[in-house]
Amino acid sequence: MNDQLILTDLFDNEIGHMSKEETHRSGRLHRAFSVFIINDGKMLIQKRNKNKYHSGGLWANACCSHPRYGEALTDSVRRRLKEELGISCEFRELFDFVYFTEYGEELFEYEYDHVFLSEYTGGFDFDREEIEELRWINFDELKSEMLEEPRKFSSWFMIAAPKVLKLISER
């Protein structure tokens, strides 16, 4: 929680930095990223560790985090893929979006989220403090679960995943 996050305006221009804890307690807009990993018609999703400070026990994309102040976005993606999943892989940015979620009176996610896609076929050595469970899920099954049980998924996943699935289907 002591990492310095990059504060941005609505157009992702850097306007300062602040500790991760203070950023989330004050509800300041900051830079973040979400990595989606696919393979053979399936998407890798993670169940966040139930002890995470927000969204614990919810399903989300394979990896998500924040670049640290002074760290390039792609460098932070590589770092977190290694730290969270124990992998190195190629990825490309698909799109970005801004979202706001309130988790209580003093905890907010207000992120300028960059969404990346990777096609990966290897194994994982994931960090159990971050991730409770990993699961490959067929695209159609994922769509059905998202429609029928949206509360099982993180707020940012519910925004980004349909866009990722649509882009995948169009290629």
Side-chain angles (χ1 to χ4, degrees), residues 158-170:
M158 289 299 296
I159 296 167
K163 295 176 188 199
V164 171
L165 290 166
K166 183 177 180 185
L167 289 170
I168 291 168
S169 72
E170 292 173 349

Side-chain angles (χ1 to χ4, degrees), residues 11 17 38 45 63 71 76 99 122 159:
F11 305 102
H17 58 94
I38 60 171
I45 58 175
C63 177
E71 181 180 39
S76 65
Y99 77 97
I159 296 167

Side-chain angles (χ1 to χ4, degrees), residues 40-77:
D40 195 28
K42 296 179 181 177
M43 182 180 291
L44 181 72
I45 58 175
Q46 67 155 279
K47 189 173 194 179
R48 291 169 58 86
N49 185 299
K50 65 182 172 237
N51 297 319
K52 296 285 286 181
Y53 67 103
H54 72 76
S55 304
L58 296 181
W59 289 97
N61 46 289
C63 177
C64 48
S65 191
H66 312 89
R68 295 174 178 152
Y69 177 66
E71 181 180 39
L73 182 59
T74 55
D75 291 342
S76 65
V77 172

Side-chain angles (χ1 to χ4, degrees), residues 2-144:
N2 292 326
D3 286 348
Q4 292 289 306
L5 303 187
I6 301 165
L7 303 179
T8 70
D9 64 15
L10 286 171
F11 305 102
D12 198 33
N13 296 305
E14 188 174 324
I15 59 171
H17 58 94
M18 186 180 284
S19 75
K20 182 177 179 179
E21 182 175 7
E22 190 178 353
T23 301
H24 289 112
R25 297 227 177 270
S26 65
R28 297 286 304 273
L29 181 60
H30 58 284
R31 190 171 293 151
F33 63 85
S34 295
V35 181
F36 286 78
I37 297 178
I38 60 171
N39 180 26
D40 195 28
K42 296 179 181 177
M43 182 180 291
L44 181 72
I45 58 175
Q46 67 155 279
K47 189 173 194 179
R48 291 169 58 86
N49 185 299
K50 65 182 172 237
N51 297 319
K52 296 285 286 181
Y53 67 103
H54 72 76
S55 304
L58 296 181
W59 289 97
N61 46 289
C63 177
C64 48
S65 191
H66 312 89
R68 295 174 178 152
Y69 177 66
E71 181 180 39
L73 182 59
T74 55
D75 291 342
S76 65
V77 172
R78 281 186 196 89
R79 174 178 55 81
R80 289 306 291 162
L81 284 168
K82 192 68 170 165
E83 291 171 353
E84 282 192 36
L85 296 169
I87 66 170
S88 296
C89 60
E90 296 298 315
F91 51 84
R92 64 185 171 91
E93 188 166 357
L94 295 178
F95 59 88
D96 51 50
F97 68 100
V98 173
Y99 77 97
F100 178 86
T101 303
E102 185 174 349
Y103 295 103
E105 288 183 29
E106 295 183 14
L107 187 59
F108 311 91
E109 278 282 30
Y110 190 17
E111 294 188 337
Y112 194 105
D113 196 357
H114 295 261
V115 177
F116 293 87
L117 180 66
S118 176
E119 294 189 39
Y120 180 76
T121 59
F124 301 96
D125 181 20
F126 64 92
D127 180 349
R128 297 202 178 269
E129 289 186 23
E130 294 284 334
I131 301 169
E132 198 169 302
E133 182 182 342
L134 286 176
R135 170 170 81 139
W136 286 105
I137 184 169
N138 173 283
F139 296 155
D140 289 334
E141 187 181 341
L142 176 60
K143 291 175 203 173
S144 178

